[in-house]
Amino acid sequence: RRVLFRSVAGTATLTPEQAGELLIVESAVRDALTAPGLLTTSVRDALVTARRRGARVEVRRSHGGPASAADVPLPAGAAAAFAVAVSAAQAGDVVRLSWRPDDPAVPVVMSYVGPDAERLATLVTARLDEGDEVEHDLSVDADSMLVEFFGASALGAPRA
């Protein structure tokens, strides 16, 4: 992590603003390599804006074996729920999304840690209720929210 930042920072003197922007660019490149199926224009814009506000946003995609699965986009509803969470994240909040596109038995997981978890859960629930049905469970307490998206529909495959 932070390879680009260490490379540039080691050879140049950066202002705090330049260092911050470089970290955002590095994160955007990592997102594009890790999760191209997630990065719609609205999600990409939400990620950059949240990171500029000081939120920590992580997108993780893993594979079960040596073969690399083709990129599978998340359904519109799940991607929109993630965009809602990222858009609401403030400085110090943490939002994570992880999934294994090669294994529909493993749920897609979105988590949030921060002081607005209950409000954010209301926003995410409202967005999920708007359309693009995807089976999910949402749990929330005072400072965290967890959403699990289940089955092949969570990975954009048609529902049986």
Side-chain angles (χ1 to χ4, degrees):
R1 297 194 80 151
R2 310 247 189 262
V3 173
L4 178 63
F5 178 78
R6 284 193 309 271
S7 296
V8 172
T11 61
T13 302
L14 301 175
T15 67
E17 293 79 20
Q18 290 171 323
E21 195 62 26
L22 180 58
L23 289 172
I24 290 169
V25 169
E26 184 174 15
S27 294
V29 169
R30 190 172 43 253
D31 294 342
L33 294 172
T34 302
L38 171 67
L39 295 178
T40 63
T41 301
S42 63
V43 171
R44 186 176 15 258
D45 292 346
L47 286 165
V48 169
T49 301
R51 287 175 173 142
R52 284 192 176 128
R53 278 194 306 268
R56 181 175 168 190
V57 183
E58 296 177 5
V59 179
R60 296 181 180 185
R61 183 178 90 160
S62 61
H63 301 284
S68 178
D71 190 57
V72 179
L74 291 173
F82 180 64
V84 165
V86 170
S87 295
Q90 299 298 312
D93 294 354
V94 178
V95 180
R96 288 187 179 99
L97 182 77
S98 63
W99 80 101
R100 281 185 49 181
D102 59 344
D103 189 351
V106 177
V108 175
V109 177
M110 178 175 69
S111 63
Y112 165 87
V113 176
D116 289 332
E118 291 174 348
R119 181 182 69 83
L120 186 62
T122 301
L123 294 172
V124 167
T125 298
R127 180 57 187 93
L128 288 169
D129 289 345
E130 284 181 14
D132 190 37
E133 277 197 34
V134 58
E135 185 181 346
H136 67 278
D137 282 338
L138 185 147
S139 58
V140 64
D141 61 26
D143 63 356
S144 65
M145 175 189 69
L146 178 72
V147 185
E148 294 178 292
F149 301 98
F150 297 99
S153 64
L155 297 175
R159 294 183 107 170

